[in-house]
Amino acid sequence: MRTSAGPWTVTGFAACQLLLVVPSIVAVVLVAVGGLLALVTIGVPILLLGLPALRWIADRHRSMAARTLGHDVPADYLPTEGLSTLARVRTWAVDPMTWRDLLWVLVSLTVGFALALVTVLLLVLVVTGAFWWYGAPHVMRLRASIDRMFLTRGHTEQLEQRVVDLTVSRADTVDHNATELRRIERDLHDGVQARMVAVGMTLGLADDLFERDPEAALRLLTEARDTTGAALADLRAVVRGIHPPVLADRGLTGAVEALALDMALPVTVLSDLAGRPPEPVESAAYFAVAECLANVGKHSGATRAWVDLHHDAGVLRASVGDDGRGGADPRHGSGLIGIMRRLSAFDGTMVVSSPDRGPTLITLEIPCALSSPRTTLSSATG
């Protein structure tokens, strides 16, 4: 929560808004013309010029409204990074915030212009100085409230979007859990079960040979013992895939350090966690970090990597970075998509920064509280 702006600041905002009137008119004309001509080729370049200009102007007003009101005024635009030109235009067309911007600019050029002009005139006309000092903040707060009403989603829209996000997250979680269950069943059937069947058959043969050929029976018993050991190893691997014992014993920091020790390149683990997240969150964060490190080892060509575990303001943050070739894209490859699905079950997010030639930084965030305070260490592994 920020402190709302004073009379001098809001008057400066009013002056800036008056200066933005002409660019706003130009931008809305470009958008209108580009929209009318969108069915022909020339309309697309006009939209590519007009809509970004309109969004830039709207963002300036959001920033001024946030300073005036003392709290954030988020844009909530649909993401368009990495999209082709036509895909970007289509996304703009279906984005509710685009239509909000267009409606807002009409209000801004009328009611908003009048309120900003009144604020500036109250200062310029010396005899109205007292009215300006006490009235300007109220006038501009009214203007900022109007901007906020149009330039950000309302409470109802946010709730509707939240319902959609939760529905998608639930479906992804159900699919992920079903996939994991099939994987466990397959591992048990193809691994542990097959080995235990082999043990039973070997013991049966040993029983038949015990009186006629004790030495052969002894060899079969030795083979059965070895097969039993392999079956136990397979079973431990399956259990480790469900919930690693090291995670239960040493917590998230210790488990990530154990992952780092198994990497073929040096991995630095930094952690200031003063406690442990809830077990489901801890498990999700562990497997997400494990997948990120696996991607580093397989695809990045990096010489070093690092993991930073941090908890602040009720959010667990795990950052995984490397100095590799970059180019990681969440839209391609099942690994990053799987991480996003895993985190979405806990209202978590993933942000990927991976320009060509690197470095790559993946930031995972999961809202949660910590419990059981304990001491954590920093380590460098290789």
Side-chain angles (χ1 to χ4, degrees), residues 14 17-18 21 104 106-118 140 143 146-147:
Q17 290 167 359
L18 293 178
V21 167
W104 161 81
L106 299 178
V107 176
S108 176
L109 292 174
T110 53
V111 178
F113 173 78
L115 293 174
L117 183 61
V118 167
M140 288 305 294
R143 166 68 198 266
I146 294 174
D147 290 343

Side-chain angles (χ1 to χ4, degrees), residues 103-371:
L103 184 58
W104 161 81
V105 76
L106 299 178
V107 176
S108 176
L109 292 174
T110 53
V111 178
F113 173 78
L115 293 174
L117 183 61
V118 167
T119 302
V120 173
L121 289 178
L122 287 176
L123 174 64
V124 174
L125 302 175
V126 180
V127 294
T128 58
F131 294 101
W132 165 77
W133 181 262
Y134 293 104
H138 297 288
V139 174
M140 288 305 294
R141 273 196 286 272
L142 175 60
R143 166 68 198 266
S145 297
I146 294 174
D147 290 343
R148 179 187 60 187
M149 182 173 61
F150 287 98
L151 293 178
T152 192
R153 294 181 180 179
H155 184 65
T156 301
E157 289 177 298
Q158 291 177 356
L159 288 178
E160 291 175 350
Q161 184 60 45
R162 178 64 175 157
V163 171
V164 172
D165 293 341
L166 288 176
T167 302
V168 173
S169 171
R170 182 181 63 182
D172 288 342
T173 301
V174 170
D175 291 342
H176 175 75
N177 289 340
T179 302
E180 284 294 298
L181 181 59
R182 288 193 296 270
R183 180 188 65 81
I184 294 171
E185 291 175 345
R186 184 177 62 251
D187 291 345
L188 290 174
H189 180 273
D190 298 342
V192 179
Q193 178 175 295
R195 293 187 185 276
M196 295 309 297
V197 170
V199 169
M201 294 177 63
T202 303
L203 290 176
L205 291 174
D207 184 52
D208 293 339
L209 293 174
F210 185 75
E211 293 183 356
R212 293 184 286 107
D213 191 349
E215 292 184 0
L218 182 60
R219 288 195 297 269
L220 289 174
L221 290 175
T222 302
E223 180 181 340
R225 183 182 60 187
D226 294 339
T227 304
T228 302
L232 289 174
D234 288 344
L235 186 59
R236 291 191 190 99
V238 173
V239 173
R240 191 177 300 112
I242 301 172
H243 191 78
V246 66
L247 184 61
D249 296 339
R250 300 173 55 187
L252 183 59
T253 300
V256 171
E257 289 174 347
L259 285 174
L261 288 171
D262 291 335
M263 294 290 291
L265 69 158
V267 179
T268 301
V269 179
L270 301 174
S271 174
D272 64 355
L273 298 183
R276 296 186 63 167
E279 185 174 313
V281 173
E282 190 174 55
S283 179
Y286 168 82
F287 283 111
V289 172
E291 181 65 32
C292 290
L293 289 177
N295 289 338
V296 171
K298 293 177 183 177
H299 310 298
S300 70
T303 60
R304 67 183 184 90
W306 57 92
V307 180
D308 186 7
L309 302 174
H310 177 67
H311 187 273
D312 182 51
V315 177
L316 173 66
R317 292 181 179 86
S319 300
V320 182
D322 65 74
D323 62 351
R325 64 176 64 96
D329 190 345
R331 295 169 299 175
H332 302 94
S334 59
L336 293 178
I337 294 176
I339 293 174
M340 295 173 65
R341 289 176 176 172
R342 186 184 294 274
L343 298 184
S344 66
F346 303 94
D347 206 17
T349 59
M350 179 182 71
V351 178
V352 179
S353 173
S354 185
D356 290 336
R357 296 185 296 277
T360 295
L361 181 64
I362 300 177
T363 302
L364 315 172
E365 295 188 352
I366 308 177
C368 69
L370 298 185
S371 61

Side-chain angles (χ1 to χ4, degrees), residues 52-121:
L54 180 61
R55 289 192 171 193
W56 182 87
I57 295 169
D59 284 338
R60 304 289 75 74
H61 281 80
R62 287 188 186 92
S63 177
M64 289 184 281
R67 287 285 308 279
T68 302
L69 297 173
H71 57 77
D72 292 333
V73 181
D76 295 327
Y77 290 120
L78 294 178
T80 58
E81 294 182 3
L83 297 181
S84 64
T85 300
L86 292 179
R88 192 180 309 128
V89 173
R90 285 195 297 267
T91 302
W92 288 340
V94 300
D95 191 346
M97 289 307 303
T98 300
W99 301 99
R100 279 183 168 271
D101 286 350
L102 290 172
L103 184 58
W104 161 81
V105 76
L106 299 178
V107 176
S108 176
L109 292 174
T110 53
V111 178
F113 173 78
L115 293 174
L117 183 61
V118 167
T119 302
V120 173
L121 289 178

